[in-house]
Amino acid sequence: MKFNYHFHINHYITIFYIALTLVSCSNSEEKDRDHLVFRYNQYENVSSLDPAFARDVANIWATNQLFNGLVQLDDNLHIKPDIAKRWEISEDALHYTFYLRDDVKFHKHTSFNTKDSTRRVVAKDFVYSFNRLKDPKVASPGNWVLKNVKHYHAVNDTILKIDLNMPFPAFLGLLSMRYCSVVPKEAVSYYGDEFRAHPIGTGPFKFKLWEENVKLVFRKNQLYFEKDDNGKQLPYLEAVAVTFLPDKQSEFLQFAKGKIDLLNSLDASYKDELLTPSGKLRDKYKDRINISKGPYLNSEYLGFYLDTEKEEIQSLLLRKAVNHGFDRKKMITYLKNGIGMPAENGFIPKGIPGYANIPGFEYNPEKSRELVEAYKKETGDNEPTVRIATDANYQTICEYIQRELEKIGINIIVDVMPSSTIRQKKWAGKLDTFRASWIADYPDAENFLSPYYSKNHTPNGPNYTHFKNETFDRLYEESFLITDDQIREQYYAKMDSIIVAHAPIVPLYYDEVVRFTQKNVRGLTNNPQNFLILKRVWKEKLD
């Protein structure tokens, strides 16, 4: 069945749309269609639906439903075909040739000025999309993805060639990022800056409605090219509806009432209500919801801004004292209900090639006190004070660290502020110490080392700490030239050891994906990047 969405919506779609946008309807109507709609809450607001700005989880989750790239990742982080059905890589790893599918169409829109209001994706669309990603006028935070790309061009409609300046083993993983999605020139030209709120892509769902900070609705893309193993067209769902309740307690209450299908967080306000101290689902919820856990390529940490003039932050003695001064295992057990792994082995998390179990910072209060005393003797500062900026979600963890470090002689001030404020000040170098997360953008341990490469100092890159070490930089640059995975991983381990030795950060824990879903949700799988993939999800109809 085909619809002209610009001029005609029949009676069925009108009723369905009303149900989708959460306007009141009868209980029987809503119940009858509930299994067709996947609902989730995004407490961190979506700032853009343009994939060029898919920088944080909220934007990535939304744009994952709307766009495709050349390649994609499966749940085990293996590179799989997407719009590119296959590819060839030259022996020197500098030249990539992608062979594109010829059956991928953009979402329908009048800007295409064609009979059926759409057209096929061709190789030059990727050339346009990459040019746009690099355009300074667009100011995409993802422009760094193509920094190592020397040249790219469309050979014809179905062949795209990309040449690199130097080998980069993780390049295919980079191309899986949402930044590298294909977008149509016609729609971008039509909307200009407002493309952020009127996205046209190729994904399993298409844009329907966005009332910013209130609700977001996607509809099934009837033209989507992917099929399941039985040949059935994806996606299974008719729609996705997103709400924007601003706090996790409200989100939990909506989930407990069955109003949303997914809870993707474990907030302090309700974690003990849901889970036992050992991380098991409490009996009262076992018949109502499901829980799933898995590795998450996310390192939680405290970062020191090393370009500050504060003696406490400049001092390696005090930075190491902080690292040794609290028990990460106790923190995970009592504050995280056993979710996560203590970060006692550097910054590279478990679950990604390159993790080498290197010695990190174990809990050692005696050593921590000795380091504090050495700092006092060296500087004459007898009351060292460190301010930690955090948002409310991590307040209890920072206050735990505060209590523990005060025992060994360091005064800690915990500044609670909105996450958006922290993000802005972190980029501007206006926070001496900050709580942060580093989530893998692509499945290579190099991704966890780029925040410590000196040429990536903010605002030019993600080096928020402004750490600089010549040996680290040399190893980082040399690692790009190594095609042998085992040798390259040895380089990664050396770099991770340098981070530990110079302590520009305080690794806290390696996170885990924990998802709670309603009992009737099927096909929603975990992945180590915690991306939301809904094209294979369906819901059983409730009686």
Side-chain angles (χ1 to χ4, degrees), residues 28-164:
S28 60
E29 286 176 334
E30 186 171 357
K31 185 176 180 180
D32 187 54
R33 293 177 175 83
D34 179 75
H35 70 288
L36 301 175
V37 185
F38 187 89
R39 297 178 172 87
Y40 73 92
N41 183 68
Q42 189 65 67
Y43 65 90
E44 291 180 335
N45 291 325
V46 170
S47 62
S48 176
L49 296 173
D50 183 338
F53 296 89
R55 176 178 173 181
D56 53 30
V57 172
N59 290 10
I60 292 171
W61 274 33
T63 53
N64 266 344
Q65 319 314 322
L66 300 171
F67 295 93
N68 296 86
L70 290 167
V71 298
Q72 60 184 319
L73 300 175
D74 67 12
D75 290 338
N76 296 312
L77 303 184
H78 297 139
I79 306 292
K80 297 293 182 181
D82 199 359
I83 293 178
K85 58 186 179 182
R86 64 184 179 90
W87 51 87
E88 297 170 354
I89 305 173
S90 63
E91 289 188 9
D92 60 8
L94 289 174
H95 309 287
Y96 289 70
T97 304
F98 295 92
Y99 299 88
L100 310 188
R101 300 177 64 120
D102 61 3
D103 59 349
V104 181
K105 291 185 176 181
F106 287 111
H107 301 155
K108 288 189 175 184
H109 192 263
T110 53
S111 63
F112 291 116
N113 198 28
T114 59
K115 183 177 180 181
D116 55 356
S117 299
T118 185
R119 68 168 175 80
R120 186 166 58 96
V121 174
V122 294
K124 68 179 181 181
D125 291 314
F126 279 98
V127 173
Y128 168 76
S129 301
F130 292 168
N131 286 341
R132 180 173 179 265
L133 189 64
K134 296 193 305 180
D135 187 349
K137 294 180 181 177
V138 175
S140 167
N143 57 36
W144 60 270
V145 171
L146 299 177
K147 280 187 176 179
N148 186 38
V149 173
K150 181 179 181 180
H151 180 68
Y152 45 85
H153 70 281
V155 176
N156 54 38
D157 282 356
T158 59
I159 299 178
L160 177 73
K161 289 198 171 186
I162 302 178
D163 301 326
L164 305 185

Side-chain angles (χ1 to χ4, degrees), residues 146-367:
L146 299 177
K147 280 187 176 179
N148 186 38
V149 173
K150 181 179 181 180
H151 180 68
Y152 45 85
H153 70 281
V155 176
N156 54 38
D157 282 356
T158 59
I159 299 178
L160 177 73
K161 289 198 171 186
I162 302 178
D163 301 326
L164 305 185
N165 290 308
M166 64 176 65
F168 182 46
F171 182 62
L172 285 175
L174 271 182
L175 291 179
S176 73
M177 295 178 66
R178 204 69 288 140
Y179 290 134
C180 297
S181 301
V182 66
V183 297
K185 181 178 181 180
E186 296 94 328
V188 174
S189 299
Y190 182 90
Y191 285 113
D193 292 340
E194 284 304 302
F195 185 73
R196 63 175 288 279
H198 300 276
I200 301 296
T202 57
F205 298 92
K206 57 188 177 183
F207 174 75
K208 179 63 181 179
L209 171 74
W210 186 21
E211 187 177 342
E212 293 194 38
N213 304 337
V214 179
K215 58 191 171 187
L216 174 64
V217 180
F218 301 145
R219 291 292 310 278
K220 178 177 182 175
N221 175 17
Q222 302 286 354
L223 302 176
Y224 193 57
F225 62 93
E226 282 192 284
K227 295 179 173 62
D228 66 14
D229 292 339
N230 296 318
K232 184 176 181 180
Q233 185 185 29
L234 300 175
Y236 304 129
L237 294 164
E238 286 292 334
V240 178
V242 187
T243 54
F244 295 93
L245 297 172
D247 66 273
K248 291 189 176 183
Q249 179 65 24
S250 299
E251 181 183 62
F252 171 68
L253 292 174
Q254 289 295 301
F255 179 74
K257 293 176 183 177
K259 299 295 185 182
I260 57 176
D261 298 303
L262 168 68
L263 188 65
N264 184 61
S265 59
L266 190 64
D267 190 62
S269 64
Y270 60 77
K271 66 181 180 64
D272 294 324
E273 166 74 10
L274 270 178
L275 298 180
T276 66
S278 62
K280 303 292 184 182
L281 197 64
R282 291 195 181 275
D283 291 341
K284 63 186 288 189
Y285 290 106
K286 286 183 178 179
D287 294 334
R288 298 170 51 193
I289 64 177
N290 291 322
I291 180 175
S292 62
K293 302 179 186 178
Y296 186 15
L297 299 186
N298 173 29
S299 290
E300 297 282 344
Y301 69 102
L302 303 179
F304 297 112
Y305 181 65
L306 301 181
D307 274 346
T308 182
E309 295 181 357
K310 284 185 64 68
E311 282 186 321
E312 294 93 335
I313 307 303
Q314 289 182 341
S315 172
L316 178 58
L317 291 170
L318 206 71
R319 297 201 304 271
K320 286 190 172 183
V322 172
N323 267 289
H324 285 296
F326 64 99
D327 190 334
R328 291 166 174 81
K329 292 178 181 176
K330 185 183 293 185
M331 179 181 71
I332 293 296
T333 300
Y334 295 106
L335 298 181
K336 291 280 293 174
N337 290 67
I339 305 300
M341 294 167 282
E344 297 181 335
N345 304 103
F347 192 63
I348 298 174
K350 293 181 179 180
I352 193 169
Y355 172 81
N357 199 35
I358 64 168
F361 291 103
E362 79 288 352
Y363 175 50
N364 191 333
E366 293 79 13
K367 186 173 183 178

